Amino acid sequence: MKRDITVIGAAIIDVLAGPVDESVFEKGSQPVNSTRLAFGGDALNEAVVLSQLGAKVELISKVGNDEAGKRVLDFLQEKQVDVTKVKIEEGLDTGINIVLVTPEGERMFLTNPNGSLRKLSEEDVMEQLDDAADIVCMASMFVSPLLDIPAMERIFQKIKSKPGRILVADMTTAKNGETLADIACLLKYIDYLIPNETEAARLTGEADAYRNAELFIEHGVSCVV
Protein backbone atom coordinates (compact mmCIF):
# COMPACT_ATOMS: atom_id res chain seq x y z
CA MET A 1 0.00 0.00 0.00
CA LYS A 2 1.31 3.44 -0.93
CA ARG A 3 2.14 5.51 2.13
CA ASP A 4 1.43 9.23 2.53
CA ILE A 5 4.39 9.98 4.80
CA THR A 6 7.71 8.34 5.66
CA VAL A 7 9.21 9.25 9.04
CA ILE A 8 12.90 8.62 9.83
CA GLY A 9 14.34 8.47 13.34
CA ALA A 10 14.23 6.98 16.80
CA ALA A 11 11.58 4.81 18.43
CA ILE A 12 12.26 4.21 22.12
CA ILE A 13 10.76 3.95 25.59
CA ASP A 14 10.77 6.80 28.12
CA VAL A 15 10.40 6.34 31.87
CA LEU A 16 9.25 9.68 33.26
CA ALA A 17 9.32 10.73 36.92
CA GLY A 18 8.54 14.05 38.52
CA PRO A 19 8.56 16.57 39.86
CA VAL A 20 12.20 16.05 40.87
CA ASP A 21 14.77 18.60 42.05
CA GLU A 22 18.50 18.38 42.73
CA SER A 23 17.95 17.34 46.35
CA VAL A 24 17.28 13.79 45.17
CA PHE A 25 21.04 13.39 44.64
CA GLU A 26 21.68 14.33 48.26
CA LYS A 27 18.82 12.39 49.86
CA GLY A 28 19.04 9.31 47.66
CA SER A 29 15.26 9.10 47.51
CA GLN A 30 12.41 11.49 46.77
CA PRO A 31 8.65 11.04 46.45
CA VAL A 32 7.13 12.17 43.14
CA ASN A 33 3.61 12.79 41.95
CA SER A 34 3.95 10.64 38.86
CA THR A 35 6.10 7.81 37.50
CA ARG A 36 5.07 6.39 34.16
CA LEU A 37 6.29 4.54 31.10
CA ALA A 38 5.71 6.09 27.68
CA PHE A 39 6.74 5.37 24.11
CA GLY A 40 8.91 8.10 22.64
CA GLY A 41 11.52 9.34 20.25
CA ASP A 42 10.62 12.21 17.94
CA ALA A 43 10.09 9.90 14.97
CA LEU A 44 7.76 7.58 16.86
CA ASN A 45 5.79 10.55 18.20
CA GLU A 46 5.46 12.12 14.76
CA ALA A 47 4.47 8.84 13.12
CA VAL A 48 1.80 8.06 15.73
CA VAL A 49 0.27 11.54 15.68
CA LEU A 50 0.17 11.63 11.88
CA SER A 51 -1.42 8.20 11.80
CA GLN A 52 -4.04 9.26 14.33
CA LEU A 53 -4.79 12.26 12.10
CA GLY A 54 -5.62 9.86 9.28
CA ALA A 55 -2.39 9.67 7.27
CA LYS A 56 -0.90 6.38 6.08
CA VAL A 57 2.52 6.45 7.75
CA GLU A 58 5.61 4.26 7.67
CA LEU A 59 8.60 4.49 10.02
CA ILE A 60 12.27 3.97 9.21
CA SER A 61 13.98 3.17 12.49
CA LYS A 62 15.94 0.55 14.45
CA VAL A 63 15.26 -1.43 17.63
CA GLY A 64 16.94 -4.31 19.39
CA ASN A 65 15.65 -7.86 19.50
CA ASP A 66 14.63 -7.46 23.13
CA GLU A 67 11.53 -6.95 25.24
CA ALA A 68 11.63 -3.15 24.88
CA GLY A 69 11.89 -3.45 21.09
CA LYS A 70 8.93 -5.81 20.95
CA ARG A 71 6.86 -3.41 23.02
CA VAL A 72 7.77 -0.50 20.73
CA LEU A 73 6.77 -2.46 17.62
CA ASP A 74 3.52 -3.63 19.19
CA PHE A 75 2.65 -0.04 20.13
CA LEU A 76 3.36 1.26 16.63
CA GLN A 77 1.27 -1.47 15.02
CA GLU A 78 -1.55 -0.77 17.46
CA LYS A 79 -1.43 2.85 16.27
CA GLN A 80 -1.52 1.65 12.62
CA VAL A 81 2.01 2.77 11.77
CA ASP A 82 3.73 0.56 9.17
CA VAL A 83 6.82 -0.98 10.82
CA THR A 84 8.04 -2.94 7.78
CA LYS A 85 11.10 -0.67 7.57
CA VAL A 86 11.99 -0.82 11.26
CA LYS A 87 15.19 -2.87 11.51
CA ILE A 88 15.47 -5.39 14.36
CA GLU A 89 19.16 -5.77 15.26
CA GLU A 90 20.54 -8.65 17.31
CA GLY A 91 22.72 -7.59 20.25
CA LEU A 92 21.43 -4.01 20.26
CA ASP A 93 19.64 -2.58 23.28
CA THR A 94 16.45 -0.75 22.39
CA GLY A 95 16.77 2.80 23.71
CA ILE A 96 15.26 3.46 27.12
CA ASN A 97 15.48 7.01 28.48
CA ILE A 98 15.09 7.97 32.13
CA VAL A 99 13.38 11.38 32.08
CA LEU A 100 13.44 13.47 35.26
CA VAL A 101 10.88 16.29 35.17
CA THR A 102 11.57 19.40 37.26
CA PRO A 103 8.86 21.32 39.16
CA GLU A 104 8.99 23.88 36.31
CA GLY A 105 8.27 21.18 33.72
CA GLU A 106 11.79 21.04 32.24
CA ARG A 107 12.98 17.54 31.30
CA MET A 108 16.41 16.09 32.10
CA PHE A 109 17.38 12.96 30.15
CA LEU A 110 19.53 9.99 31.09
CA THR A 111 20.32 8.12 27.88
CA ASN A 112 22.29 5.05 26.85
CA PRO A 113 24.87 6.02 24.19
CA ASN A 114 25.05 2.37 23.11
CA GLY A 115 21.28 1.95 22.68
CA SER A 116 19.21 2.22 19.53
CA LEU A 117 18.57 5.95 20.07
CA ARG A 118 22.18 6.68 19.07
CA LYS A 119 22.76 3.85 16.60
CA LEU A 120 20.63 4.66 13.55
CA SER A 121 23.07 4.69 10.63
CA GLU A 122 23.18 5.88 7.04
CA GLU A 123 22.95 2.27 5.86
CA ASP A 124 19.82 1.69 7.96
CA VAL A 125 18.13 4.63 6.25
CA MET A 126 19.44 4.54 2.68
CA GLU A 127 18.35 0.97 1.96
CA GLN A 128 14.75 1.92 2.82
CA LEU A 129 14.38 5.09 0.72
CA ASP A 130 13.79 3.67 -2.76
CA ASP A 131 10.02 3.60 -2.31
CA ALA A 132 9.65 6.29 0.35
CA ALA A 133 6.50 8.41 0.39
CA ASP A 134 6.13 11.78 -1.31
CA ILE A 135 6.52 13.46 2.10
CA VAL A 136 9.54 12.45 4.19
CA CYS A 137 10.09 13.64 7.76
CA MET A 138 13.62 13.54 9.18
CA ALA A 139 13.09 13.57 12.93
CA SER A 140 15.74 14.92 15.30
CA MET A 141 18.74 15.82 13.19
CA PHE A 142 21.87 15.31 15.36
CA VAL A 143 20.31 12.65 17.60
CA SER A 144 22.42 9.79 16.20
CA PRO A 145 26.17 10.45 15.95
CA LEU A 146 26.33 7.94 13.08
CA LEU A 147 24.26 10.36 11.00
CA ASP A 148 26.87 13.07 10.68
CA ILE A 149 26.59 15.97 8.25
CA PRO A 150 28.05 14.11 5.20
CA ALA A 151 25.74 11.14 5.89
CA MET A 152 22.69 13.37 6.22
CA GLU A 153 23.63 15.17 3.00
CA ARG A 154 23.70 11.88 1.10
CA ILE A 155 20.36 10.88 2.63
CA PHE A 156 18.78 14.23 1.80
CA GLN A 157 20.11 14.05 -1.77
CA LYS A 158 18.47 10.65 -2.24
CA ILE A 159 15.20 11.81 -0.70
CA LYS A 160 15.07 14.83 -3.00
CA SER A 161 16.14 12.87 -6.08
CA LYS A 162 12.46 12.23 -6.70
CA PRO A 163 10.92 15.39 -8.23
CA GLY A 164 8.28 16.98 -6.07
CA ARG A 165 9.09 15.05 -2.90
CA ILE A 166 8.80 17.18 0.25
CA LEU A 167 11.43 16.96 3.01
CA VAL A 168 10.51 18.07 6.52
CA ALA A 169 13.20 18.14 9.23
CA ASP A 170 13.29 18.90 12.90
CA MET A 171 16.28 18.71 15.19
CA THR A 172 17.67 18.24 18.63
CA THR A 173 20.53 20.33 20.00
CA ALA A 174 23.66 20.11 17.84
CA LYS A 175 26.05 17.92 19.81
CA ASN A 176 29.46 18.91 18.43
CA GLY A 177 29.32 22.67 18.20
CA GLU A 178 27.95 22.66 14.65
CA THR A 179 27.17 26.09 13.20
CA LEU A 180 24.81 27.31 10.51
CA ALA A 181 27.74 27.34 8.09
CA ASP A 182 28.52 23.70 8.89
CA ILE A 183 25.01 22.53 7.96
CA ALA A 184 24.49 24.89 5.01
CA CYS A 185 24.99 21.94 2.64
CA LEU A 186 21.88 20.31 4.16
CA LEU A 187 19.56 23.28 4.26
CA LYS A 188 19.06 23.63 0.51
CA TYR A 189 17.27 20.25 0.49
CA ILE A 190 14.83 21.06 3.31
CA ASP A 191 11.34 22.28 2.46
CA TYR A 192 10.16 22.73 6.06
CA LEU A 193 12.57 23.09 9.00
CA ILE A 194 11.13 22.93 12.53
CA PRO A 195 13.72 23.82 15.21
CA ASN A 196 12.87 25.19 18.62
CA GLU A 197 14.29 28.59 19.59
CA THR A 198 17.16 27.18 21.67
CA GLU A 199 18.24 24.74 18.96
CA ALA A 200 18.19 27.48 16.33
CA ALA A 201 20.14 29.90 18.51
CA ARG A 202 22.83 27.31 19.20
CA LEU A 203 23.44 26.96 15.45
CA THR A 204 23.32 30.63 14.52
CA GLY A 205 24.69 32.43 17.55
CA GLU A 206 21.70 34.77 17.37
CA ALA A 207 19.08 35.10 20.10
CA ASP A 208 16.14 36.47 18.10
CA ALA A 209 13.85 33.78 16.72
CA TYR A 210 12.70 35.87 13.76
CA ARG A 211 16.26 36.67 12.74
CA ASN A 212 17.14 32.98 13.00
CA ALA A 213 14.24 32.09 10.71
CA GLU A 214 15.57 34.61 8.19
CA LEU A 215 19.07 33.13 8.42
CA PHE A 216 17.81 29.62 7.69
CA ILE A 217 15.87 30.96 4.70
CA GLU A 218 18.99 32.79 3.47
CA HIS A 219 20.87 29.47 3.62
CA GLY A 220 18.35 27.66 1.44
CA VAL A 221 15.46 26.38 3.55
CA SER A 222 12.11 26.96 1.85
CA CYS A 223 10.07 27.47 5.04
CA VAL A 224 11.00 27.70 8.73
CA VAL A 225 8.56 26.97 11.54
Side-chain angles (χ1 to χ4, degrees), residues 183-214:
I183 68 166
C185 59
L186 305 177
L187 299 179
K188 62 185 177 182
Y189 298 105
I190 299 175
D191 296 289
Y192 297 91
L193 179 66
I194 314 175
N196 69 31
E197 292 186 25
T198 302
E199 293 159 354
R202 184 73 63 88
L203 285 167
T204 66
E206 298 278 348
D208 182 74
Y210 294 97
R211 177 56 185 151
N212 284 333
E214 292 172 352

Side-chain angles (χ1 to χ4, degrees), residues 14 22 24 58 60 65 111-112 116 128 153 183 203 217 220:
D14 290 328
E22 63 275 6
V24 69
E58 64 178 3
I60 297 175
N65 188 15
T111 67
N112 176 6
S116 61
Q128 306 287 8
E153 183 174 15
I183 68 166
L203 285 167
I217 295 291

Side-chain angles (χ1 to χ4, degrees), residues 4 87-88 124:
D4 301 318
K87 182 177 181 180
I88 302 171
D124 297 327

Side-chain angles (χ1 to χ4, degrees), residues 5 9 19 25 30 40 67 101 115-116 139 160 180 191-193 195 211:
I5 304 171
F25 298 106
Q30 185 178 107
E67 182 61 28
V101 184
S116 61
K160 294 297 287 184
L180 191 61
D191 296 289
Y192 297 91
L193 179 66
R211 177 56 185 151

